[in-house]
């Protein structure tokens, strides 16, 4: 992972996004241990609090869990979150079909909503 210290995205967000993508793409499986906050901060040339914030946000999203001295690991909730999104997508697809929207229209609505995030 490389941190762009001169970009618009804050370093903690770059760390968070990197791990969130790795977890959602299953590059990091459930139970995989993340580097310690101090080790990752040192490797990336960041303050410890910067990495701690990224880990906190990952934990709040249910993607990782901190197990005290055992460290921070990828949570099984990440898979549960993925399943919740799949279920919501299926419900949305059904609703849009019931309302007579074309697949293209339904996708455009989703794209617009995602751009808002």
């Amino acid at each position: 992972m490389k941190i762009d210290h001169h970009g618009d995205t804050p370093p903690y967000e770059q760390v968070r996004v990197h791990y969130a993508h790795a977890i959602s793409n299953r590059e990091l499986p459930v139970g995989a241990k993340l580097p310690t906050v101090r080790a990752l901060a040192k490797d990336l040339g960041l303050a410890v609090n910067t990495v701690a914030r990224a880990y906190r946000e990952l934990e709040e999203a249910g993607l990782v869990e901190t197990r005290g001295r055992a460290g921070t690991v990828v949570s099984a909730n990440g898979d549960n979150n993925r399943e919740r999104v799949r279920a919501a997508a299926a419900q949305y697809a059904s609703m849009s079909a019931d309302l007579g929207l074309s697949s293209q229209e339904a996708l455009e609505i989703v794209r617009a909503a995602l751009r808002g995030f």
Side-chain angles (χ1 to χ4, degrees):
M1 167 179 12
K2 301 237 184 213
I3 298 297
D4 179 3
H5 294 278
H6 304 292
D8 292 336
T9 306
Y12 80 89
E13 180 67 5
Q14 293 177 53
V15 172
R16 187 197 66 76
V17 166
H18 170 81
Y19 280 109
H21 283 178
I23 292 166
S24 67
N25 293 336
R26 297 197 172 129
E27 294 166 26
L28 288 173
V30 172
K33 191 171 180 179
L34 273 60
T36 66
V37 169
R38 290 184 193 281
L40 187 59
K42 182 178 179 187
D43 288 349
L44 298 175
L46 298 173
V48 171
N49 287 339
T50 300
V51 174
R53 179 175 179 183
Y55 277 27
R56 237 184 349 268
E57 291 194 10
L58 289 167
E59 189 164 20
E60 288 171 5
L63 297 175
V64 301
E65 57 187 58
T66 302
R67 297 181 177 165
R69 291 192 163 277
T72 302
V73 297
V74 175
S75 170
N77 288 337
D79 282 343
N80 293 341
N81 289 343
R82 179 186 296 269
E83 184 52 40
R84 288 176 54 208
V85 170
R86 274 194 213 109
Q91 184 179 11
Y92 174 75
S94 175
M95 179 190 302
S96 62
D98 290 346
L99 295 173
L101 275 83
S102 70
S103 296
Q104 174 119 2
E105 288 174 302
L107 286 172
E108 285 304 315
I109 291 169
V110 171
R111 284 188 187 101
L114 290 172
R115 280 191 295 269
F117 293 97

